[in-house]
Amino acid sequence: QVKKQCDQKLLIRVKTKCVPCSLNLDTQCPAGYTKITNGTGTPDCRYYLEIKTHTLSFPGCRHRCVKEFEQPECCQGHWGPDCMGK
């Protein structure tokens, strides 16, 4: 039996919104994603607060999330919706 379907595994990475680190403990990843950072997350961003006519910038934290996704693909030499073509 020759394998006709060779699905590709893709890893989709996203980061949550930048918030004050003290508020980031309970931040959840989008549905279907797995959180790969712990605690308050990664302190690698800035968030902004608008106060009247000024915008202030503060260091913040965000979490990293991943989701595994299988992309259907035909093996080399096969094609079509069911990978039957040669």
Side-chain angles (χ1 to χ4, degrees):
Q1 172 90 23
V2 178
K3 198 171 172 209
K4 297 175 179 73
Q5 187 98 13
C6 293
D7 293 350
Q8 294 293 316
K9 275 193 178 165
L10 300 176
L11 215 54
I12 302 168
R13 300 169 198 270
V14 296
K15 291 177 181 173
T16 59
K17 200 173 101 184
C18 190
V19 296
C21 295
S22 58
L23 300 179
N24 204 35
L25 272 168
D26 300 325
T27 300
Q28 297 301 312
C29 288
Y33 284 82
T34 305
K35 194 188 287 185
I36 57 168
T37 43
N38 297 319
T40 57
T42 312
D44 66 347
C45 61
R46 296 191 77 77
Y47 67 96
Y48 301 92
L49 280 182
E50 285 185 33
I51 299 170
K52 294 187 182 168
T53 57
H54 294 78
T55 300
L56 303 178
S57 167
F58 298 96
C61 291
R62 56 189 173 178
H63 282 291
R64 284 184 221 167
C65 312
V66 292
K67 178 182 185 180
E68 205 172 78
F69 176 75
E70 285 226 342
Q71 183 170 320
E73 224 168 83
C74 296
C75 296
Q76 195 171 0
H78 295 274
W79 50 270
D82 51 8
C83 300
M84 295 305 276
K86 275 192 162 209

